[in-house]
Amino acid sequence: MSASKSPSPYAAVGPAALLFLGVLAVPLAMTVLLSFNAFDSAQGIVATRDFQNYAEVLGDAYFAEIFLRTLRISLIVTGISVLLGAPEAYILKRMREPWRSIFILVVIGPLLVSVVARTLGWAILLNGNGLLSQILQATHFSAGPVSLMFTETGVVIGLVHVLVPFMVLSVWASLSRMDTASERAAESLGAPKLTILRRIVLPQAVPGILSGSIVVFSLSASAFATPAIIGGRRLKVAATLAYDEFLNTLNWPLGAAVAVLLLVGIVAIVVGWNRFVERRYQQVFA
């Protein structure tokens, strides 16, 4: 009887390659090709092969302002998510069962609710007649209604609420591999709490902070629902700009160019940040 052959390690390459081509590569290639075409209000899309759309986006101060706003909001959201998510993940690490499981469920609970529903909830809270405005007026911090709708602050609040669970889960997964005996040993040797956090906990949390920052930054830079609802048409970001070009002005080539430049920018920043952190904490990733 012949011995049964073990499955080849390359058996899953074919389906994985087809999935990659169908979900990512082909749509991306079509978007890139579309961005080189021209648009005419009478003829629609005109088949050309030039960089006119990219020159228009890169040379216009209007588009530059929108991309800079997208970058600024994404960086602020990522920074706040780190400040909120990393300590929360460390607290989860220190908890015992069943409280740890309960609070992990609390953290991931918002992910089970639609982003649109959560953002609409924030829109109700942040408008001029919302709860926040009423509290500020009742405590005499404001003499009149306060609205954070159609402001960068409102968009940042909505995005942080949507994305901070990703940071918490990333850092918690990284800290879950940390041995608590090292903290106890440092305490027994008289190390202050801040020294323990800086010299022992932080290096162990760096991989989680790195992966969480990449996820949060990428999602916030490409977010559409939250900026569209809270920011509205007054406060455009790159994703809402591409949406308007595709569906409002019907200038698909220009919208494709905006989408491609957004993707290239996100990839460049993520790769640069990844290399910087890995070089800075080389001993952790070794």
Side-chain angles (χ1 to χ4, degrees):
M1 183 181 296
S2 60
S4 59
K5 295 183 179 180
S6 59
S8 171
Y10 302 102
V13 172
L18 291 176
L19 181 64
F20 173 80
L21 290 174
V23 175
L24 182 62
V26 173
L28 179 58
M30 293 176 65
T31 303
V32 173
L33 292 176
L34 178 62
S35 67
F36 292 112
N37 292 322
F39 175 78
D40 183 83
S41 57
Q43 303 179 33
I45 298 175
V46 180
T48 59
R49 289 294 180 267
D50 55 41
F51 294 90
Q52 181 61 36
N53 294 314
Y54 292 99
E56 181 178 352
V57 174
L58 296 175
D60 195 326
Y62 170 74
F63 294 107
E65 180 183 358
I66 293 177
F67 275 96
L68 287 175
R69 180 185 299 128
T70 304
L71 176 62
R72 180 169 59 249
I73 291 176
S74 302
L75 292 176
I76 294 174
V77 169
T78 303
I80 295 176
S81 298
V82 171
L83 294 177
L84 295 178
E88 188 173 349
Y90 180 66
I91 293 172
L92 285 176
K93 173 66 172 60
R94 303 277 301 200
M95 282 183 175
R96 296 183 179 180
E97 297 293 348
W99 295 108
R100 179 187 299 169
S101 299
I102 293 174
F103 278 92
I104 289 176
L105 183 61
V106 171
V107 170
I108 67 176
L111 298 178
L112 306 178
V113 181
S114 168
V115 174
V116 175
R118 282 182 282 166
T119 304
L120 288 174
W122 276 110
I124 296 173
L125 291 174
L126 298 177
N127 65 33
N129 298 321
L131 180 62
L132 178 62
S133 178
Q134 295 177 16
I135 292 176
L136 292 176
Q137 294 179 72
T139 54
H140 303 289
F141 281 98
S142 175
V146 177
S147 176
L148 293 180
M149 291 293 293
F150 315 120
T151 64
E152 288 191 22
T153 302
V155 174
V156 167
I157 292 174
L159 286 175
V160 167
H161 177 248
V162 170
L163 299 176
V164 76
F166 294 100
M167 180 64 67
V168 175
L169 294 177
S170 298
V171 179
W172 175 72
S174 180
L175 289 177
S176 63
R177 298 188 294 268
M178 184 181 69
D179 187 4
T180 56
S182 57
E183 293 183 77
R184 293 195 295 268
E187 290 178 357
S188 65
L189 293 174
K193 288 288 186 181
L194 290 177
T195 301
I196 294 174
L197 291 175
R198 182 172 58 88
R199 300 292 298 274
I200 297 176
V201 178
L202 180 59
Q204 299 296 323
V206 164
I209 293 175
L210 173 61
S211 58
S213 299
I214 291 174
V215 172
V216 171
F217 179 83
S218 301
L219 292 178
S220 59
S222 59
F224 170 76
T226 301
I229 294 174
I230 297 181
R233 301 188 62 85
R234 301 183 191 175
L235 196 75
K236 285 187 178 182
V237 294
T240 56
L241 172 63
Y243 174 87
D244 285 342
E245 295 297 337
F246 270 102
L247 296 183
N248 290 338
T249 63
L250 299 180
N251 191 343
W252 287 26
L254 185 61
V258 171
V260 170
L261 288 174
L262 175 63
L263 175 62
V264 172
I266 292 175
V267 171
I269 293 174
V270 165
V271 171
W273 172 244
N274 184 67
R275 291 187 176 180
F276 170 78
V277 174
E278 287 187 349
R279 190 181 303 112
R280 176 65 176 80
Y281 295 91
Q282 186 175 2
Q283 69 279 6
V284 177
F285 293 95

